[in-house]
Amino acid sequence: MNGWGEVDKMSFNATDPAEKEAGHEYTATLSLGADNVFFKVATGDWATINLGSATDGVEALAVDTPVVLGGANDNNLSFDPAAAGDFKFIFNDKTKTLTISND
Amino acid sequence: MNFKLKPLSLAALATATVLSGCGTEEETIQKTTVFDAESNTGLWCKSPDIVQTVDADFHPLTDAEVAALETVALSITDPDNAFSDAEKETFKSSFNAYEFDYGTYDLYQTLGLTKEEEARRVIAKEEARQFKIDQKQDIIFGDDFDTWFDAWFETVPYTDYLGNSQRLPKAALGLELALSASNNGEEACYTPPTDCPNYQMVDESGKYNCIIPEENPIEDVPALPQDVITAAATGEKAVVFFRKNGEQVGSNYENITIHSWNDTNCTAYNEETSTTAWGSGLAATDIDDNYGMYWILDLQEGHDSCGNMIVYNKSTGDKFITQNDGMVPLGKTGDVVFHNLDKISFYQEGFPANLLDGAYLANQHPFFGAAAGGKSCGWGTSLDEAGEACLGQVIENCPEGTYAVGVGQVDIASKCVAEFDPEETTFLLRGGFNGWGNPTEGTEFEKVAAGEYRKIFTYGDHPEDAVLEFPADASVEVMTEAGATLTFVQPVDEEGENVDVVLDLDNIPADTILTLADGTAITLAADNNMLMLPEGAETPEVAELMFAIPASSKLTLASGANHADFACTEDCVTAYSFKIADADWSEPASYGGVSGGDALEVGGNPKPLTAGEGVGQDIGIKMQDTSLYQFKLMGASANEMTLEVDQVPVNAFPNLLLGDSTIAMSYKGDGVYQALKQELEAGTYTVAFVDEGNDFALGADTVNTANVNDEVMLKADGGVVTVTIAETEKYDFLLDLSDTAEPSFKVQPSKPLGANVAFIRGSINGWGAPASDEIIYNEDSVSYSVIYGLEASTDAHAFKFASEDWSSVDIGYGAVTISDDADAIAITEAGGNMQIVADESTSYKFELTYDANDFELKPVLKVSKLPIFVSWWYERLG
């Protein structure tokens, strides 16, 4: 875990590079312990993109359940893995959707 | 390809060519016949040597001169002063002041002026003084003129008007002949230096004169085209060649033509066939691989020995060779200045005209000037760094109330002129289209504000004798009449054999389409303006070189075509010249174009103007019949005046009447007027358009309410339109009069792209325009941006910014400035697109930032990595 920082950078992987070289979906695979964690999705300037819960208060995410992020107050996201493991975070900057899945 | 020239040292000239010109002048002949052929005695100087009287100029170098030259030579040989003492001694011991190559070093600095040079300097100074007085500088500077003139003349290098220093060659002759004071008054043969402009040499009086070799100085002279030889043999034709740099093909010569006319100085051409109107020119005969494009002109019987001639681009008005009226020589043998036996003349781009006796002459041989040394510039001008053009000199000390004009202009002598008086000056539009402003009534500009003048000129039908042309920017359809024929030149292959199935349409560019009456379309092939007949089409009769076009065939001439072979009948333009001046043509208030500057473009950017007699040039404009032209003369001061000309839809200057405010609109182009960036609070506003001075009023047609982005139809004298503004923002008002019968307006947000929606489109997204790839506007940063993920690859990603229709917005490489920020990724051009290479699989920001004050300026494009993080936080829980 990293504190608020620019460590877990999301990367881009073309899903169909022959047809489409680019896209709006980014992924980061993180190794997590079996602890609840709070987080947000943001660019380094915390301005161009700064997304958390779309509703006031913390929003808890579950595996394989897409959530549309937003910029509400007091809006951290949380995730509480059932067991330690590698998790894939998939984020779309246009739909502002975040999905967490087992890697 | 350039020609290899024979060595053109003066000695070579003397043996390889027969000299005429000044060499045949009476005075010269007398002086060179001191030698008595009968008795074989006396002094004889073989041309080009000249007889000179021995004086101190011809004495061998003095010890002081040798010492000074040694210092110069050492500094040339050892510029960094790196020689050891021993090396210096070695250099000095072998130094010969007469034989050392001083290169381009100005020896006047070392040797001063000879007596002969001093005498010429005094003459030159008097000439220069008279020149400045002719420029009225004595009036401008008043009592200070003499002081100013002396100071200025001191700054002119001797080489500008004396040629190179002659002390050394004269001393060398003195050494050879062992001349001393005891020989003073005797005569000697002296070879003057050759480094004068073109083929000039100094005669005994010290005056520069031109010599004209009668033989072509080019080695292995390439043959002239047969039609030129045939024409020259008649003695009734003049041939003019112009060799432009670059490939000798039609595309290189697009819009290049000649202007040929008769006047009292030179009456030469057949008025029926071989004189032209400015802006239309004469179709060229052909292009020769060696000598370039050429024209064959018919001469009058008993023609003068000169013909007026300008080579220029008829689209831009840019002149080649000289900015002055040029001449081709057509004179008989022995004619000093205009000597040209075969009446064939040659111009080559990059080489100035030969300036003889005030005439700017074409060469009678190709590349006449090629080996002739530097160009000599007239008073008030200096050679540019490339050594090709004489530019108006900088004048830094014009008196108060005056300013310098002509500075930096090609072949224009700069000078100081007085500023016009804005209180007293009424500018008039004075051109060929309105009798040059006579009478003055109705030609006046309206003064809108300080430094801002405007005028709408109503141009009616073309005069009957006007030379009509197709507009340059439009493709044109020519309907042929029944049985009409187009005449083509039968093309031949390299062996001279006729080639069938191909028609040469003489300078009609690629993409021209010939549609036959049966609907068959023939597109001009891409190269060499060849027209390919479709399979099965009847080949024209070779013998007649005619191609009968079926009735109602249509010839669509591509944009920029040289349509000289076809008569324009509709929407034609004709060329005029004009200036902007007051009623008296007073110098401070007479403005013209800048020599060598950009041509005026109707609908283009403001063009700088300049005052000054002989400085401001006639401005060319092509006018369409029954059209309105709006002239806007602007400038914060007399030396910053610019002119913008638009072809406008109405004889008015529409204002936006927004609530209680009257806001002047500017002309945007294509029939649209605009009032930009009106900051409006949310609410409702009444809108109408008026110009009371010109009886112009537009209001609501049938609908009198509107929202942002609605197109609202208008009619004359309609009521106000009530516009609802939902969001407080800046808005642009656009009045569309492109169809004056159906005027309309709309109000849209003041974004650089207006109401247009644009996308990033490229190989990255299959050149599509999905909603997810829209570029989003940020008003604070005046930028459009999109974030996009790219995978690392060595292959480049190509992209543009465009609207879905690829037309309302299409921003490619040429339309942007590339950011030089440290974190910006390199962007290169790929066929008009932008492209980048992504070296990391991450998210990237594509951003187009506009100038907040001028959306017309190219936006800055920056592509940078903008990584997105999953950011964790332990201590602060929400």
Side-chain angles (χ1 to χ4, degrees):
Chain A
M1 287 304 125
N2 57 29
W4 292 122
E6 301 174 19
V7 175
D8 290 318
K9 185 150 76 172
M10 309 194 83
S11 71
F12 173 75
N13 293 297
T15 45
D16 183 6
E19 285 297 311
K20 206 166 181 299
E21 300 165 6
H24 294 286
E25 208 159 86
Y26 314 94
T27 58
T29 300
L30 283 77
S31 294
L32 298 177
D35 288 321
N36 187 39
V37 290
F38 294 90
F39 68 99
K40 291 177 100 173
V41 175
T43 50
D45 61 0
W46 287 94
T48 314
I49 295 176
N50 180 8
L51 291 169
S53 165
T55 52
D56 286 358
V58 174
E59 178 160 14
L61 275 75
V63 168
D64 293 334
T65 310
V67 169
V68 176
L69 305 183
N73 288 325
D74 190 13
N75 64 349
N76 282 335
L77 303 166
S78 72
F79 178 54
D80 191 359
D86 287 351
F87 295 89
K88 188 174 188 179
F89 288 66
I90 304 164
F91 170 69
N92 185 308
D93 76 280
K94 283 292 167 185
T95 60
K96 300 187 170 41
T97 310
L98 178 68
T99 309
I100 303 175
S101 58
N102 287 302
D103 193 42
Chain B
M1 182 204 75
N2 274 326
F3 293 104
K4 188 180 174 193
L5 292 155
K6 293 175 190 169
L8 279 175
S9 69
L10 201 62
L13 272 179
T15 53
T17 64
V18 181
L19 292 170
S20 65
C22 355
T24 64
E25 280 181 284
E26 200 65 19
E27 186 189 11
T28 313
I29 293 166
Q30 284 180 354
K31 288 226 174 181
T32 53
T33 51
V34 176
F35 177 78
D36 178 10
E38 293 277 310
S39 60
N40 215 23
T41 55
L43 184 61
W44 183 81
C45 292
K46 182 172 180 176
S47 183
D49 279 11
I50 53 176
V51 179
Q52 296 271 281
T53 305
V54 174
D55 58 12
D57 292 354
F58 286 93
H59 296 173
L61 293 170
T62 64
D63 291 346
E65 285 174 324
V66 171
L69 288 170
E70 186 179 86
T71 307
V72 168
L74 185 59
S75 71
I76 292 171
T77 311
D78 178 26
D80 302 326
N81 200 13
F83 278 12
S84 66
D85 286 350
E87 284 171 320
K88 283 181 185 170
E89 282 313 310
T90 309
F91 175 82
K92 287 179 179 176
S93 64
S94 65
F95 173 69
N96 182 323
Y98 295 96
E99 289 174 5
F100 184 82
D101 180 3
Y102 300 93
T104 55
Y105 186 83
D106 175 12
L107 286 175
Y108 285 117
Q109 295 177 48
T110 313
L111 301 173
L113 297 178
T114 62
K115 291 177 179 199
E116 180 266 353
E117 285 158 351
E118 175 58 25
R120 278 196 286 135
R121 191 191 72 84
V122 170
I123 295 167
K125 185 170 181 180
E126 198 42 51
E127 273 178 18
R129 193 168 185 281
Q130 190 55 48
F131 181 86
K132 290 291 183 185
I133 290 171
D134 291 345
Q135 280 191 322
K136 300 180 194 143
Q137 298 303 287
D138 53 336
I139 298 165
I140 291 281
F141 285 95
D143 292 343
D144 296 330
F145 174 68
D146 286 333
T147 315
W148 173 84
F149 173 77
D150 287 346
W152 168 76
F153 191 76
E154 286 304 310
T155 67
V156 181
Y158 293 138
T159 46
D160 268 20
Y161 56 94
L162 297 178
N164 282 358
S165 166
Q166 294 190 46
R167 170 60 183 137
L168 196 57
K170 286 186 172 178
L173 183 67
L175 181 74
E176 185 191 331
L177 303 178
L179 299 176
S180 67
S182 61
N183 302 101
N184 285 1
E186 295 176 5
E187 288 181 321
C189 290
Y190 168 67
T191 313
T194 56
D195 51 0
C196 48
N198 291 339
Y199 288 75
Q200 296 191 356
M201 54 184 260
V202 188
D203 69 12
E204 303 95 297
S205 65
K207 200 171 173 209
Y208 273 69
N209 276 319
C210 289
I211 53 170
I212 302 176
E214 289 185 346
E215 284 177 18
N216 195 331
I218 295 174
E219 215 167 52
D220 303 326
V221 183
L224 291 168
Q226 187 53 47
D227 52 356
V228 169
I229 294 168
T230 309
T234 65
E236 294 162 0
K237 312 259 187 189
V239 182
V240 178
F241 282 93
F242 171 57
R243 187 181 195 281
K244 194 167 175 285
N245 294 336
E247 248 188 298
Q248 301 307 308
V249 294
S251 55
N252 185 33
Y253 285 90
E254 198 173 331
N255 289 319
I256 302 298
T257 190
I258 55 169
H259 182 43
S260 51
W261 73 102
N262 293 328
D263 60 17
T264 49
N265 283 333
C266 304
T267 302
Y269 308 117
N270 180 316
E271 296 270 354
E272 299 284 312
T273 61
S274 299
T275 55
T276 63
W278 179 258
S280 54
L282 202 65
T285 305
D286 205 348
I287 298 170
D288 181 75
D289 289 346
N290 291 306
Y291 301 109
M293 181 172 265
Y294 62 95
W295 294 261
I296 299 178
L297 299 104
D298 297 326
L299 295 172
Q300 293 184 8
E301 210 179 314
H303 62 80
D304 289 347
S305 55
C306 57
N308 296 309
M309 182 63 54
I310 294 173
V311 183
Y312 70 112
N313 179 314
K314 68 180 179 182
S315 170
T316 63
D318 289 346
K319 296 176 191 171
F320 292 92
I321 310 298
T322 173
Q323 299 303 309
N324 301 289
D325 291 350
M327 286 182 195
V328 292
L330 301 168
K332 297 185 176 79
T333 183
D335 187 327
V336 174
V337 175
F338 298 114
H339 175 101
N340 189 0
L341 293 182
D342 58 12
K343 298 169 190 172
I344 304 174
S345 302
F346 298 86
Y347 288 111
Q348 184 193 4
E349 186 180 9
F351 289 100
N354 295 312
L355 180 54
L356 278 75
D357 282 9
Y360 291 85
L361 281 170
N363 296 313
Q364 57 154 314
H365 297 303
F367 314 120
F368 191 21
K375 185 178 182 186
S376 166
C377 292
W379 300 116
T381 64
S382 303
L383 203 59
D384 67 0
E385 282 183 11
E388 288 176 359
C390 294
L391 306 180
Q393 284 171 346
V394 173
I395 307 176
E396 280 170 350
N397 49 4
C398 287
E400 201 177 331
T402 74
Y403 62 100
V405 294
V407 175
Q409 294 180 37
V410 180
D411 284 345
I412 296 291
S414 57
K415 61 177 170 178
C416 303
V417 298
E419 293 168 6
F420 70 85
D421 178 354
E423 301 300 321
E424 300 292 326
T425 302
T426 299
F427 286 111
L428 309 177
L429 180 65
R430 315 194 73 165
F433 42 76
N434 69 355
W436 290 93
N438 291 316
T440 57
E441 196 185 340
T443 67
E444 301 93 344
F445 274 74
E446 173 193 354
K447 184 175 178 181
V448 187
E452 191 180 339
Y453 305 83
R454 66 187 184 186
K455 162 87 193 151
I456 292 178
F457 177 71
T458 305
Y459 180 63
D461 293 328
H462 291 305
E464 275 185 16
D465 58 350
V467 178
L468 301 184
E469 294 172 56
F470 296 97
D473 58 347
S475 77
V476 177
E477 290 180 354
V478 181
M479 298 302 294
T480 57
E481 296 180 8
T485 56
L486 293 176
T487 306
F488 303 107
V489 178
Q490 169 66 49
V492 292
D493 62 16
E494 283 175 5
E495 276 82 46
E497 297 295 318
N498 285 348
V499 181
D500 54 12
V501 307
V502 181
L503 296 169
D504 182 348
L505 282 184
D506 188 20
N507 286 334
I508 298 173
D511 302 328
T512 293
I513 296 171
L514 176 64
T515 311
L516 302 183
D518 64 3
T520 312
I522 309 167
T523 303
L524 205 63
D527 60 353
N528 271 345
N529 302 329
M530 294 296 183
L531 185 70
M532 305 298 295
L533 284 178
E535 204 175 335
E538 214 168 299
T539 312
E541 289 286 323
V542 171
E544 294 176 358
L545 298 178
M546 302 272 269
F547 178 35
I549 302 264
S552 300
S553 295
K554 186 170 71 181
L555 187 64
T556 305
L557 303 176
S559 155
N562 177 358
H563 306 121
D565 291 350
F566 308 95
C568 179
T569 53
E570 265 182 73
D571 297 333
C572 310
V573 297
T574 192
Y576 288 103
S577 299
F578 72 100
K579 280 186 170 177
I580 292 171
D582 60 3
D584 304 329
W585 290 99
S586 78
E587 182 163 41
S590 296
Y591 281 86
V594 175
S595 169
D598 294 332
L600 175 75
E601 192 185 330
V602 173
N605 292 326
K607 174 188 162 75
L609 299 185
T610 178
E613 211 176 305
V615 179
Q617 312 284 308
D618 282 354
I619 309 165
I621 187 172
K622 289 191 179 176
M623 289 184 160
Q624 197 165 44
D625 53 344
T626 57
S627 296
L628 298 163
Y629 291 89
Q630 171 182 290
F631 294 77
K632 282 183 103 168
L633 178 65
M634 314 265 284
S637 63
N639 63 347
E640 294 175 308
M641 300 306 280
T642 62
L643 178 68
E644 190 175 350
V645 182
D646 285 297
Q647 190 173 353
V648 291
V650 289
N651 189 2
F653 301 99
N655 297 297
L656 164 65
L657 210 57
L658 181 66
D660 297 334
S661 316
T662 304
I663 299 153
M665 303 189 85
S666 61
Y667 188 67
K668 182 171 188 260
D670 295 330
V672 177
Y673 293 83
Q674 60 187 7
L676 301 178
K677 294 183 199 162
Q678 303 300 317
E679 191 150 9
L680 301 181
E681 303 271 338
T684 56
Y685 296 84
T686 59
V687 171
F689 300 91
V690 296
D691 176 12
E692 286 179 11
N694 287 299
D695 288 334
F696 176 87
L698 287 176
D701 183 10
T702 51
V703 179
N704 61 4
T705 59
N707 291 312
V708 170
N709 290 336
D710 286 351
E711 187 181 356
V712 185
M713 301 311 292
L714 301 172
K715 68 175 181 187
D717 302 321
V720 296
V721 180
T722 303
V723 175
T724 302
I725 299 291
E727 286 179 58
T728 300
E729 210 184 320
K730 287 180 181 168
Y731 292 91
D732 294 346
F733 288 78
L734 301 174
L735 173 63
D736 186 346
L737 302 178
S738 54
D739 179 354
T740 47
E742 295 197 340
S744 67
F745 94 96
K746 80 174 170 182
V747 51
Q748 65 183 33
S750 299
K751 296 175 189 174
L753 301 180
N756 292 309
V757 176
F759 304 86
I760 185 168
R761 308 182 67 170
S763 61
I764 50 180
N765 60 1
W767 299 96
S772 64
D773 296 352
E774 181 182 344
I775 51 175
I776 306 295
Y777 186 62
N778 180 317
E779 196 184 321
D780 292 338
S781 58
V782 203
S783 66
Y784 289 85
S785 66
V786 62
I787 296 170
Y788 224 148
L790 293 173
E791 204 164 56
S793 165
T794 51
D795 294 336
H797 299 287
F799 63 96
K800 282 182 126 176
F801 300 100
S803 54
E804 192 157 13
D805 62 5
W806 282 111
S807 71
S808 41
V809 179
D810 184 3
I811 300 171
Y813 188 86
V816 298
T817 305
I818 306 297
S819 167
D820 55 5
D821 285 0
D823 60 338
I825 293 167
I827 298 170
T828 54
E829 182 177 12
N833 300 319
M834 288 78 85
Q835 64 175 22
I836 60 158
V837 173
D839 65 356
E840 184 183 356
S841 296
T842 188
S843 38
Y844 291 79
K845 187 180 191 186
F846 295 75
E847 188 173 36
L848 273 180
T849 305
Y850 283 82
D851 184 310
N853 299 315
D854 189 354
F855 293 163
E856 300 291 320
L857 292 178
K858 287 182 179 181
V860 175
L861 170 62
K862 178 179 176 182
V863 181
S864 55
K865 289 178 188 173
L866 185 77
I868 302 168
F869 298 93
V870 181
S871 272
W872 302 87
W873 181 251
Y874 272 98
E875 283 74 33
R876 203 191 93 191
L877 303 179

